[in-house]
Amino acid sequence: MTLKQTLLTIGLCSSLISGAQTLGFGLDISSIPNNGDRRIFIRPANNYTKTATVELTRNSDNIFSGEVSQNPDGLYYIYSQTSSSQASLPIYLSSPESAKDIKLGINGHNLSTSLSNDNANKALEVYNSILTDNSINLGQSASKLSEEQTGAILRSYITKSDSVINLAPIPSSVEQFIRIWAYTSASDAYTMAVYLRGREDKELRLSTSEFLPKASSVLDTPIAGCFPNAIGIVTNTLPQGSIEERLVSLNKLYQTPEIREKATAMLMSSFLDSFDYQNKFSEGEKLLETLTRQYSLPILYLNIFRARSASITGTPFPNVTLVDREGNSIDFGKYKGKYVYVDLWASWCGPCVREVPYLQQLEKEMADSNIAFVSISTDSGKAQWLKKMDQLNMHGNQLLDNSGDLTKKLNIRGIPHFLIYDPDGNLYMYNAPRPSNPETKKLLESLK
C-alpha cells in the first residue's frame, strides 16, 4: 500500500465493514419535469468514500431503487445529476421503512423530498436552501459587495443554523450534523470570499475568529469526521509550531478518538513530506521514534520516514520496480560505472514534456561521455506513457516506475525532477538543474 493510499484510509470516514447491513431505497421522481437524463446517487453521510456512493437504478415508472449501506445515525445524502445541473440534499431516516417511498422534487436550485413533513428533514432542507443562497450570493457578488456585506453573509452561516435548529426539536445527530455543516461551509465560504475579493485587489480584513467559534467547540465529535474538510480545519486551527507542539495541542483540545486519529494522520503526512531528510535525518528519526512511543502512532510513519533516506546524498538508488517499454524489469545497477542523469517525468506533465527536446539534445551531444541519461516515468498506467513517448519520439533509456513508489521514497514533491547518481550507484546530486538550463551541460562535462 502506498503512503497516499494509507493516509487516505486513515484520514477518511471509516468505511462500514464488509457484510454490513444495507438499506433499500426507492425514490419517485415522476413529479420532476424534463428528467430524461437524470441520475440519482445515494450514500450514507458517515462515509464519503467513492465506493460508498451507489447509483440507483431507474425503472419505466421513474422510480429509482437500490441498496445502500446503513448509517446508524440515519443520515444519508441524495445526489441528483443531469447533463446541465446537479444538486444534493442530506436526509434523515427515523426508520428503515421510510427509505422505500420517497418522492423527490426540485425547488429552484434545491432538492426537496416528501420527508420534509418531519422536523429533522425540514431543518435539513431549509438549511440546504440557505447554503445554496449564500453560495450564489458570494460566488456572484463577493468582489462587488462591501466588506460589511460580505461579513454579514459569512456570519449568517452560523446564526441561521442556530435559528433552524431552534425551530423545533430534532434528533441530536441531526443537530450536530447541521452545526458542523454550517461551520465547514462558513470556513469554505471565507476562503472563497478572500480569493474572489483578492482578484479585485480588495482585502477582507474580517478574520474567521469574528464569526466562527473555536473549532474544538464544534468539531470534537465523530460526526465531524464525515465532512471532507473538517479535519483540515482541525489541523489548520491548531497553534503553529513543531510537530511535537501541534500533537500536544491536538490531544489537549480534542477528546474524540476519531478526530485525533484523522488529524494526526494529516499532521504526520505534512511532516513527512516537508522534512529536511538531507540535513536532519538522524534527528528526525529520533524524534519520530519518541512520538511513536508517546502517542502510540502506527509504525507506518516511522517506516515511511526511514524509507525516505534514499533522498540523502550518498545513498543508493531506491529498491523499486522499473520496466522498459517491452515490460522487462530493469535493475538500476546496470548503469554502475557511469554518472547517471535521471529525469523523473510523466506524460500529463506539461513542464516535463517541454524539457524532453533539451534532454534528447543533451544526450546526443554527450554520447561519448561517461554520462548515462535515464528517463523514468511516474505515470500510473503504461498506455499513456507509451503513447506520449511515441508522440515525442523519445529514445534511449526510457523506464516506467511500475511500483509507483519511487517519488515517495525520494520525497519528490513535484516533477520534472532531475537527479545525478555517481558511478557507484549512490546519489550525487538531489536537485540537479534541468536540461534547458545552459549550466547543466557544463556540470555534466565536469564529472569525471
Side-chain angles (χ1 to χ4, degrees), residues 13 115 135 143 199 217 243 249 264 284 286 288 291 294-295 297 321 329 369-370 411 418 437 443-444:
C13 284
L115 298 169
S135 179
S143 60
R199 292 198 307 181
S217 69
I243 184 65
S249 296
T264 296
K286 291 177 182 176
L288 199 47
L291 295 178
Q294 185 174 351
Y295 294 101
L297 300 179
T321 303
S329 294
S369 70
N370 192 38
N411 198 34
F418 300 88
N437 186 334
L443 169 64
L444 295 178

Side-chain angles (χ1 to χ4, degrees), residues 420-432:
I420 299 175
Y421 282 82
D422 66 21
D424 293 323
N426 297 322
L427 184 61
Y428 176 81
M429 183 177 288
Y430 182 69
N431 279 302

Side-chain angles (χ1 to χ4, degrees), residues 180 183-184 214-221 224 230 233-234 254 256 259:
I180 298 165
Y183 195 101
T184 55
K214 289 184 177 180
S216 56
S217 69
V218 179
L219 303 181
D220 192 13
T221 168
I233 295 173
V234 168
Y254 293 87
T256 305
I259 301 302

Side-chain angles (χ1 to χ4, degrees), residues 141-153:
S141 309
S143 60
K144 302 174 183 178
L145 297 173
S146 68
E147 187 163 351
E148 291 73 20
Q149 290 171 319
T150 302
I153 294 176

Side-chain angles (χ1 to χ4, degrees), residues 2-3 273 307-308 310-311 317-318 320 322 344-346 348 376-379 401 403-415 417 419 430:
T2 66
L3 170 61
D273 286 345
R308 290 186 177 179
S311 65
F317 190 82
V320 296
L322 302 175
L344 295 179
W345 73 291
W348 47 262
I376 303 176
S377 170
T378 63
D379 279 295
D401 173 24
S403 67
D405 290 335
L406 182 57
T407 56
K408 297 177 182 64
K409 289 187 175 182
L410 285 171
N411 198 34
I412 304 296
R413 301 171 201 170
I415 53 173
H417 189 103
L419 313 98
Y430 182 69

Side-chain angles (χ1 to χ4, degrees), residues 176-410:
Q176 284 188 43
F177 183 90
I178 292 176
R179 291 195 188 282
I180 298 165
W181 193 14
Y183 195 101
T184 55
S185 298
S187 179
D188 283 348
Y190 177 80
T191 301
M192 179 176 71
V194 169
Y195 168 72
L196 292 175
R197 290 175 64 84
R199 292 198 307 181
E200 303 292 328
D201 293 324
K202 294 180 179 179
E203 183 182 3
L204 183 60
R205 289 168 296 209
L206 179 72
S207 70
T208 54
S209 62
E210 295 178 59
F211 64 95
L212 288 177
K214 289 184 177 180
S216 56
S217 69
V218 179
L219 303 181
D220 192 13
T221 168
I223 291 181
C226 302
F227 288 79
N229 61 337
I231 303 304
I233 295 173
V234 168
T235 59
N236 289 338
T237 54
L238 292 174
Q240 294 301 308
S242 65
I243 184 65
E244 309 103 295
E245 292 168 334
R246 304 200 81 198
L247 286 173
V248 167
S249 296
L250 172 65
N251 285 272
K252 179 180 178 181
L253 293 171
Y254 293 87
Q255 306 307 311
T256 305
E258 295 94 324
I259 301 302
R260 285 182 173 180
E261 179 183 342
K262 296 174 176 67
T264 296
M266 189 168 286
L267 290 173
M268 292 307 304
S269 177
S270 176
F271 171 77
L272 290 168
D273 286 345
S274 61
F275 191 78
D276 183 3
Y277 295 89
Q278 284 277 351
N279 300 307
K280 299 181 178 180
F281 183 82
S282 296
E283 175 186 332
E285 184 179 32
K286 291 177 182 176
L287 169 62
L288 199 47
E289 287 172 347
T290 300
L291 295 178
T292 300
R293 290 192 301 270
Q294 185 174 351
Y295 294 101
S296 300
L297 300 179
I299 196 67
L300 161 75
Y301 300 124
L302 190 54
N303 291 340
I304 291 170
F305 184 92
R306 287 169 174 161
R308 290 186 177 179
S309 64
S311 65
I312 300 174
T313 301
T315 55
F317 190 82
N319 182 21
V320 296
T321 303
L322 302 175
V323 297
D324 61 19
R325 64 182 304 143
E326 284 76 35
N328 302 311
S329 294
I330 302 297
D331 184 352
F332 192 81
K334 70 176 286 188
Y335 305 110
K336 278 191 176 183
K338 289 189 174 186
Y339 283 94
V340 186
Y341 183 75
V342 177
D343 166 26
L344 295 179
W345 73 291
S347 63
W348 47 262
C349 169
C352 301
V353 171
R354 287 194 289 273
E355 291 293 327
V356 169
Y358 295 99
L359 178 63
Q360 293 187 326
Q361 181 63 28
L362 192 60
E363 184 176 1
K364 181 179 179 181
E365 293 174 357
M366 302 193 69
D368 297 327
S369 70
N370 192 38
I371 309 292
F373 293 85
V374 179
S375 294
I376 303 176
S377 170
T378 63
D379 279 295
S380 57
K382 188 176 181 180
Q384 56 265 43
W385 171 55
L386 293 174
K387 180 179 179 181
K388 183 60 69 174
M389 282 197 299
D390 290 340
Q391 289 175 348
L392 299 175
N393 193 28
M394 296 174 71
H395 56 263
N397 299 303
Q398 301 295 332
L399 305 177
L400 174 68
D401 173 24
N402 211 36
S403 67
D405 290 335
L406 182 57
T407 56
K408 297 177 182 64
K409 289 187 175 182
L410 285 171

Side-chain angles (χ1 to χ4, degrees), residues 94-116:
S94 57
S95 66
E97 290 73 26
S98 55
K100 297 177 181 178
D101 188 22
I102 300 174
K103 291 180 172 57
L104 191 66
I106 298 288
N107 182 12
H109 297 284
N110 299 300
L111 294 177
S112 61
T113 73
S114 54
L115 298 169
S116 60

